[in-house]
Amino acid sequence: MCRIIHLYVKPLAIKDFRCCRSLNNVKMSFLGTVHNLFLAICLMLVLGFLYYSAGKLHMHGWGQEPQYDRLGFLLKLESRIPVELNYKYGNITEGGCRKGYASAQMTAIFPKFSKPAPMFLDNSFKRWAKLKDFVPPFGIKGQEVVVQKILGITKHYTLTESIDSLTCKRCIIIGNGGIVANKSLGSKIDDYDVVIRLNEAPVKGFEKDVGSKTTLRITYPEGAIQKPERYEKDSLFVFAGFKPQDFKWLKYIVYKEKVSPSDGFWKSVATAVPKEPKDIRILNPYFIREAAFMFIGLPVNNGMMGRGNIPTLGTVAITMALHNCDEVAVAGFGYDMNTPNAPLHYYETIKMSAIKESWTHNIAKEKEFLKKLVKGQVITDLTAGI
C-alpha cells in the first residue's frame, strides 16, 4: 500500500516542481519589467528635474539674484542692452530706419517674445488654433462664420501696397493724452511711415501737435467716429472686436446694412462708416491676448472678459507694432495724476481729475509694462509721459 502511494505521489511532486519553476520564471520576468519601468520613471524624473533646473538657472542664475521678473522681463533693463545691437544700429544716421530693431530689443528684455503675428485677420485665421479657443476679445470663438463673411467682402488683409513694399517701417502710435498738446510734434509725427491713431481722436485743427497723416485708425464700435466727414480719406479703418456683438456690428457696416445704435452697446455707436470694404481690416485678436496675459500679467479669468483684464487700445496697438514694425514710437501716452487740472485729452477741456477707476482696465499694471518698453529702449516716447 505504501509503495503504491509513493509511486502515486512522486509524479505529482515532479509536476509541482515544474509548475513552481514556471511560476518563478513568470515572477522574475514580471519583476524585471517592473524594475525596468521603475528605472525609466526615475530617468524621466531626473531629466525633468534637469530641464526644470536649467530653465531656473537661465532665468535666475546659480547662486545669484533673479535676472527676470515673474512674467519673464529683464529686471535691470537699463544695464543690459546687448552689445551686438548697439554695434549693429549705432552707426545708422538720425532719421534712418533700423531694420528689426524693435523686435531685437524686445527679445533682449523679454526672451519669450516671438515675432511672427500678422496685423490683421485673413483667410488663414482658421489655422490659428488659439484664436478659436478664446471668445472675444481674446479670440474669435463663436464668431468664425461672421468673420468669414466679412473677409469675403473686404478681400484685403495687409497694409497698403506702398507701405508693404518698404524694406523697413517706422511706426508711431498717437495716444489721446493731453500731454501731446502744445508740443509742436506734428511734422515729426508725419515723418513716420505708419501713423496709427485710436478711436475718434480728431486730427483737423490739431495738426501742429499731432500731425495730419493717418495710416490706420484702430477702433471698436463705441469708439468709432460717428460723423462721416471726420474720417480721413486715405486711412485704413481697423476694427478691434471686444464683444460678440462688435463683430455683428462690423458685418452690418461692411455690407451697408442697418445698424441699431444701442444693440448691446454701452453707449451709442456709429451707424455707418464712409469706407469701402477694401479699406477695412480686422485686428488680429492675438495682440489683445498677448498684451493682457503675457506682457501685462492681467487675470486670465478662464479666457473671458472680466474685471481689470482688458488692455487699453493704445497698448494693444503698441503690441501689434512690435510684431510688424522695425521701429516703434509713441506720443500722447501717460496720465499724470499729480496734475489734476491738466487736460485729460488733447482735444477737449476735461481735466485729469475726471479720470475714474476703470472696470475693464488696470492702468497701474499697464503703465508698468510700458515703462519696461521705454527703459529697455524698445520704443521711443516722444512726449515722455510714460
Side-chain angles (χ1 to χ4, degrees), residues 310-323:
I310 306 299
T312 62
L313 201 55
T315 294
V316 172
I318 291 172
T319 301
M320 177 196 74
L322 292 177
H323 287 275

Side-chain angles (χ1 to χ4, degrees), residues 177-226:
I179 193 169
V180 76
N182 303 315
K183 294 288 195 304
S184 300
L185 289 172
S187 59
K188 191 168 186 177
I189 287 170
D190 286 342
D191 280 342
Y192 281 81
D193 303 306
V194 178
V195 178
I196 302 166
R197 301 188 190 274
L198 309 170
N199 291 324
E200 56 186 343
V203 171
K204 191 173 182 180
F206 302 93
E207 294 90 345
K208 182 180 178 182
D209 291 324
V210 300
S212 58
K213 178 179 178 180
T214 304
T215 311
L216 53 93
R217 183 180 288 273
I218 306 176
T219 188
Y220 54 95
E222 291 92 341
I225 297 172
Q226 297 195 28

Side-chain angles (χ1 to χ4, degrees), residues 41-294:
I41 292 172
C42 288
L43 181 61
M44 290 174 66
L45 289 172
V46 169
L47 290 174
F49 174 76
L50 291 174
Y51 179 80
Y52 175 78
S53 299
K56 286 290 185 181
L57 286 174
H58 170 72
M59 297 300 286
H60 300 298
W62 183 261
Q64 299 176 5
E65 291 183 2
Q67 294 184 39
Y68 298 86
D69 64 19
R70 64 180 185 83
L71 293 173
F73 282 94
L74 194 68
L75 287 171
K76 297 181 179 179
L77 294 165
E78 304 95 331
S79 64
R80 188 186 138 187
I81 301 302
V83 174
E84 62 270 20
L85 293 183
N86 282 331
Y87 178 78
K88 181 178 180 179
Y89 299 115
N91 294 325
I92 293 178
T93 57
E94 186 177 352
C97 187
R98 298 170 292 181
K99 187 170 179 58
Y101 178 82
S103 61
Q105 291 291 110
M106 185 63 178
T107 304
I109 71 165
F110 187 74
K112 293 187 290 184
F113 182 72
S114 177
K115 188 175 188 295
M119 275 188 173
F120 314 120
L121 290 187
D122 58 24
N123 284 316
S124 71
F125 74 89
K126 291 181 179 179
R127 296 199 294 269
W128 285 65
K130 287 196 174 181
L131 287 184
K132 295 184 291 182
D133 293 341
F134 290 86
V135 297
F138 308 117
I140 56 167
K141 186 176 181 180
Q143 307 303 313
E144 295 90 344
V145 174
V146 177
V147 169
Q148 192 69 66
K149 286 182 178 179
I150 294 168
L151 295 178
I153 191 172
T154 58
K155 300 184 187 307
H156 291 76
Y157 320 114
T158 61
L159 292 168
T160 64
E161 188 176 338
S162 59
I163 294 175
D164 287 331
S165 65
L166 296 174
T167 57
C168 190
K169 299 183 188 70
R170 299 171 67 243
C171 303
I172 186 166
I173 302 97
I174 311 302
N176 302 342
I179 193 169
V180 76
N182 303 315
K183 294 288 195 304
S184 300
L185 289 172
S187 59
K188 191 168 186 177
I189 287 170
D190 286 342
D191 280 342
Y192 281 81
D193 303 306
V194 178
V195 178
I196 302 166
R197 301 188 190 274
L198 309 170
N199 291 324
E200 56 186 343
V203 171
K204 191 173 182 180
F206 302 93
E207 294 90 345
K208 182 180 178 182
D209 291 324
V210 300
S212 58
K213 178 179 178 180
T214 304
T215 311
L216 53 93
R217 183 180 288 273
I218 306 176
T219 188
Y220 54 95
E222 291 92 341
I225 297 172
Q226 297 195 28
K227 294 181 178 180
E229 65 272 16
R230 284 187 49 208
Y231 280 84
E232 300 90 358
K233 183 181 177 182
D234 300 321
S235 66
L236 296 176
F237 179 89
V238 180
F239 163 82
F242 287 88
K243 307 179 295 298
Q245 57 263 47
D246 293 355
F247 289 86
K248 187 190 296 185
W249 174 85
L250 183 63
K251 176 183 169 293
Y252 292 152
I253 291 296
V254 296
Y255 280 90
K256 310 295 184 185
E257 297 173 350
K258 184 178 179 180
V259 176
S260 174
S262 59
D263 185 15
F265 302 106
W266 56 269
K267 74 172 192 175
S268 64
V269 298
T271 56
V273 173
K275 293 287 180 182
E276 293 302 314
K278 67 181 180 63
D279 297 320
I280 295 175
R281 306 286 187 272
I282 301 177
L283 182 74
N284 190 342
Y286 172 81
F287 303 122
I288 300 176
R289 190 170 70 249
E290 183 180 52
F293 305 146
M294 288 187 66

Side-chain angles (χ1 to χ4, degrees), residues 291-318:
F293 305 146
M294 288 187 66
F295 293 166
I296 307 174
L298 300 177
V300 176
N301 193 37
N302 294 319
M304 306 287 286
M305 180 187 289
R307 183 175 181 83
N309 78 336
I310 306 299
T312 62
L313 201 55
T315 294
V316 172
I318 291 172

